[in-house]
């Protein structure tokens, strides 16, 4: 054994002094010692961080201490990080072995950081969620010399709206570049791409400022026929003073740096109290609906800032009352539309009546400057089984084909970290937003194997059961009332059984066991909510032993407490209220 170790050390030393390329492989580490150095061509925080991340994971995998050199050329074998690749798009990166160098190059520091994580995944690391990753133990780390990667995103702006999707350290590993509703991603973690979807007309009608404005300028706000007065819920977009005030706010925001690139939202608030004054009513009727009011406002703001703020784009949310495009308007070149459509998510978007007609119309009006606000959740029950995870694939492929510029995928935000398959949902969404041409089911199986280990087989079976249930129903909307809309009681009992099987298979492995326990909350929730609506009878008929409802509630409460789950769904009782209701013999979904 001692001879082998000595031989290994001598061999590794020889590799460092000559070349890391041996035969058909480029070695980063050999026999637990570094076979190359890391060379960084700039002082950019993200590029330097990328080098430190590569060194950290190489150490964790192989035990090798790899030298990082910044700002100067070195001889010998090296991993070169180059963030100044001419002709490359901002987030585009390349990986290739060139002579004695493994080059990771890109159009920006963020692209190089992506390239490092691509390399680490190729070497066997798995970034399944912010609280579940795998780092293999391998004393030899190498890539085939012929291995090449050329990658760039399908969408310029990518936002995974989930508690996991907002984790600052996980976002660059998943190439999530949006920052809505959270603080800015630090420069060393790659920075961010901004997108503003604030629903307060450029911030004019937000919070206390909006209340104060309503007291000072009630004529700026929407007139409602029913109330026979101005109301605070919306503003009158045909009022010239409103548009002037919005433009002033934008100029104030960018006055210190007029060259800064950014988006500013002039969206209406999330209600249907649009202005019904004579001017707004006539304009809306002439141009085809409420969307014309906000589109016209965006156009007027866009024209006003086009010359002095050429890098700022105006964006408005086309949703609900403003979702249907106006019939005869064209948007200014600096206006972007964010289109959102609540629909049947059990089928691809193109199969939903009117979807493609509306999207294509928005694309034509906006010169293809369209981003999508999409959904992958059950808003009345974040914690209930939601069998549409895989439907992100068909949707994102269709959006890419239609030249959509960006996508926000709304799941469950803070308060529901354990929404149904939250970690898989977030991981899969990020992967498909970067490249929707991947097979979503192959990716889902990859995640199960890496995240759930010995429990993967049972978890995969539960996912397949869910797909079959959805395809049988061919209907699933984001506000469907409960699990029995899609699943039979027997299927829900089987889902619970499969999670028990996965828990048993992962006993003794804390990482994968904890993952499966988090996944088990969803079928437990379904059993609690439907216990007296067929679950108990189905279990008895199949001679399956399931715990009494009170014991299921105990387990539900323990998992929620451990992972700080407080939200059940929109407009639904909080988790503590839900537990109290269930323990009192109540029925959350009774009669729904």
């Amino acid at each position: 054994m001692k001879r082998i170790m000595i031989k290994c050390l001598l061999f590794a030393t020889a590799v460092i002094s000559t070349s890391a390329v041996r035969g058909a492989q480029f070695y980063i580490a050999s026999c637990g010692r570094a076979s190359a150095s890391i060379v960084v061509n700039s002082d950019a925080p993200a590029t330097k961080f990328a080098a430190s991340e590569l060194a950290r994971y190489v150490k964790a995998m192989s035990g090798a201490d790899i030298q990082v050199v910044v700002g100067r050329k070195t001889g010998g074998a090296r991993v070169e990080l180059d963030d100044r690749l001419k002709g490359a798009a901002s987030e585009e990166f390349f990986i290739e072995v060139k002579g004695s160098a493994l080059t990771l190059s890109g159009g920006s520091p963020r692209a190089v950081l992506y390239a490092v994580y691509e390399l680490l995944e190729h070497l066997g690391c798995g970034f399944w969620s912010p609280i579940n990753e795998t780092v293999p133990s391998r004393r030899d780390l190498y890539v085939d010399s012929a291995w090449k990667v050329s990658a760039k995103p399908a969408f310029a702006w990518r936002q995974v709206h989930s508690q996991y999707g907002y984790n600052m350290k996980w976002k660059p590993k998943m190439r999530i570049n949006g920052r809505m509703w959270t603080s800015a991603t630090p420069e060393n973690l790659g920075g961010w791409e901004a997108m503003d979807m604030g629903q307060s007309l450029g911030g004019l009608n937000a919070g206390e400022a909006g209340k104060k404005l309503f007291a000072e300028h009630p004529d700026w706000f929407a007139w409602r026929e029913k109330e026979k007065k101005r109301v605070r819920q919306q503003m009158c977009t045909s009022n010239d003073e409103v548009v002037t005030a919005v433009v002033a706010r934008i100029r104030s925001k960018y006055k210190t740096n007029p060259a800064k690139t950014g988006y500013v939202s002039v969206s209406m608030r999330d209600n249907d109290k649009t202005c019904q004054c004579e001017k707004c009513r006539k304009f809306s009727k002439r141009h085809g609906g409420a969307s014309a009011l906000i589109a016209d406002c965006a156009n007027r703001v866009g024209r006003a800032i086009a010359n002095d703020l050429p890098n700022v784009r105006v964006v408005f949310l086309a949703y609900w009352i403003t979702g249907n495009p106006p019939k005869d308007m064209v948007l200014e070149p600096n206006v972007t539309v964010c289109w959102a459509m609540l629909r049947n998510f059990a089928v691809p978007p193109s199969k939903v009546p009117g979807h493609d007609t509306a999207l294509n119309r928005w694309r034509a009006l906006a010169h293809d400057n369209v981003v999508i606000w999409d959904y992958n959740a059950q808003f009345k029950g974040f914690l209930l089984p939601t069998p549409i995870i895989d439907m992100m694939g068909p949707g994102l492929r269709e959006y890419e084909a239609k030249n959509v510029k960006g996508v926000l995928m709304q799941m469950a935000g803070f308060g529901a970290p354990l929404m149904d398959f939250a970690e898989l949902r977030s991981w899969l969404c990020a992967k498909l937003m970067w490249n929707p041409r991947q097979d979503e089911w192959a990716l889902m199986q990859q995640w199960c194997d890496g995240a759930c280990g010995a429990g993967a087989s049972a978890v995969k079976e539960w996912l397949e059961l869910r797909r079959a249930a959805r395809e049988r129903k061919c209907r699933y909307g984001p506000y469907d009332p409960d699990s029995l809309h899609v699943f039979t009681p027997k299927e829900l009992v089987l889902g619970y059984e499969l999670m028990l099987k996965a828990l048993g298979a992962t006993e003794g492995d804390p990482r994968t066991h904890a993952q499966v326990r988090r996944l088990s909350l969803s079928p437990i929730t379904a059993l609690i909510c439907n216990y007296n609506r067929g679950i108990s009878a189905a279990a008895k008929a199949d001679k399956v032993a399931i715990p009494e409802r009170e014991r299921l509630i105990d387990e539900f409460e323990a998992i929620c407490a451990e992972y700080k789950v407080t939200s059940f769904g929109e407009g639904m009782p909080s988790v503590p209220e839900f537990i109290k209701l269930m323990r009192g013999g109540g029925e959350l979904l009774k009669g729904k």
Side-chain angles (χ1 to χ4, degrees), residues 59 65 67 75-76 175 199 278 312 327 332 343 398 402 424 468 501 506 537 582 585:
K59 172 75 172 178
D65 289 306
Q67 182 185 22
R175 306 173 199 170
Q199 292 170 266
E278 184 178 2
V312 176
K327 61 185 180 182
E332 292 294 318
R343 54 183 171 84
E398 290 188 1
K402 292 184 180 299
L424 167 58
K501 183 178 178 181
T506 55
M582 296 297 105

Side-chain angles (χ1 to χ4, degrees), residues 406-418:
V407 180
L408 175 145
M409 190 69 71
Q410 185 174 354
M411 300 173 190
F414 296 96
L418 298 193

Side-chain angles (χ1 to χ4, degrees), residues 21-66:
V21 182
R22 304 204 299 274
Q25 285 85 35
F26 179 97
Y27 276 75
I28 300 169
S30 180
C31 294
R33 292 175 64 88
S35 299
S37 59
I38 300 173
V39 180
V40 183
N41 78 328
S42 80
D43 286 322
T47 309
K48 292 169 70 174
F49 178 73
S52 69
E53 280 287 85
L54 180 56
R56 181 169 72 89
Y57 278 98
V58 166
K59 172 75 172 178
M61 283 189 281
S62 68
D65 289 306
I66 189 166

Side-chain angles (χ1 to χ4, degrees), residues 19 41 90 459:
S19 173
N41 78 328
S90 175
V459 175

Side-chain angles (χ1 to χ4, degrees), residues 250-258 309:
I250 296 172
R251 287 192 174 129
S252 176
K253 179 179 179 179
Y254 288 95
K255 65 181 179 182
T256 58
N257 186 6
L309 296 175

